[in-house]
Amino acid sequence: YGVSVVREIRKVAKDSFIIADLKTMDVGKVEVDIAFNETADGVCAAGVASVETLDDFVYEARRMGIYSFVDLMEVPNPVEKLKALEQLPNAVILHRAIDVEQRGGEPRWGYIGEIKEAFEGKRLLIAVAGGIQPRTSRIALEAGADILIVGRYITQSKDVERAVEEFLPHLREDIDLLRVHVE
């Protein structure tokens, strides 16, 4: 469907926070504008994109008033990459690829502390993704993750509602209290 599916989802889930995971690698401003026009609340770029693309992406997201996410999958040094940017995104995602996970690769949660230390006092949320399950969500949250991105555990469940409910005891306060102001 492409990014136009965001507008369709919005029709049935008006109050949902919808992120267009575009995995932007080039023309950051253009892709943000497309997502904005389709009513996305946030957009996500690939952290392996050039610094120039990410700078344009973050700038345009702020200008349009939507959240910017940068997925740091396969970025060898997340702190270095983030320090190279003119402005930080609203959030970064420490994402372990499925292929890496299936070969026993560890989650990238070790970078949470490094990022928080390097950008202390800055408004930067840290999300984790890649094989998140209820038993591992507690570990990620204790390591300092602000956002859990859960995929297969829910989407491949025979009982989606039960799968979602298994995460609830591990969550802290109401997510609306954690929203950042997008400038």
Side-chain angles (χ1 to χ4, degrees):
Y1 290 96
V3 77
S4 64
V5 75
V6 171
R7 188 176 297 275
E8 296 303 311
I9 293 170
R10 179 79 59 211
K11 288 177 185 176
V12 295
K14 291 177 179 51
D15 296 329
S16 293
F17 187 87
I18 303 171
I19 301 170
D21 186 2
L22 304 174
K23 298 181 180 10
T24 300
M25 286 289 294
D26 195 13
V27 293
K29 289 175 83 170
V30 172
E31 294 209 0
V32 169
D33 290 347
I34 291 168
F36 174 81
N37 289 334
E38 293 297 338
T39 75
D41 297 296
V43 287
C44 187
V48 292
S50 70
V51 168
E52 293 79 7
T53 295
L54 294 174
D55 281 339
D56 286 351
F57 179 88
V58 171
Y59 171 83
E60 188 67 0
R62 287 188 192 283
R63 191 178 81 76
M64 300 305 284
I66 64 177
Y67 289 73
S68 57
F69 290 75
V70 173
D71 188 330
L72 297 170
M73 181 188 292
E74 296 305 318
V75 173
N77 188 329
V79 171
E80 183 180 297
K81 184 72 172 224
L82 293 170
K83 282 185 175 181
L85 300 178
E86 290 176 8
Q87 293 182 62
L88 290 173
N90 297 108
V92 295
I93 304 169
L94 295 172
H95 194 165
R96 174 178 53 174
I98 292 172
D99 295 335
V100 172
E101 177 191 349
Q102 289 176 341
R103 288 177 176 79
E106 294 296 315
R108 303 191 78 207
W109 306 337
Y111 289 113
I112 295 172
E114 289 180 43
I115 292 170
K116 287 195 181 264
E117 183 179 321
F119 300 101
E120 188 175 358
K122 304 281 185 184
R123 296 192 101 176
L124 178 64
L125 296 173
I126 300 177
V128 293
I132 305 296
Q133 299 175 10
R135 65 181 171 77
T136 59
S137 66
R138 180 184 49 77
I139 299 165
L141 292 168
E142 287 173 359
D146 301 299
I147 301 168
L148 300 173
I149 299 174
V150 182
R152 288 170 288 146
Y153 192 84
I154 293 171
T155 62
Q156 294 180 1
S157 174
K158 292 181 188 214
D159 184 349
V160 170
E161 189 172 333
R162 179 201 46 80
V164 171
E165 287 174 351
E166 288 182 41
F167 285 92
L168 296 180
H170 304 289
L171 302 179
R172 295 184 288 246
E173 62 257 8
D174 184 346
I175 189 65
D176 282 334
L177 299 176
L178 299 175
R179 290 223 172 133
V180 295
H181 176 68
V182 179
E183 298 169 355

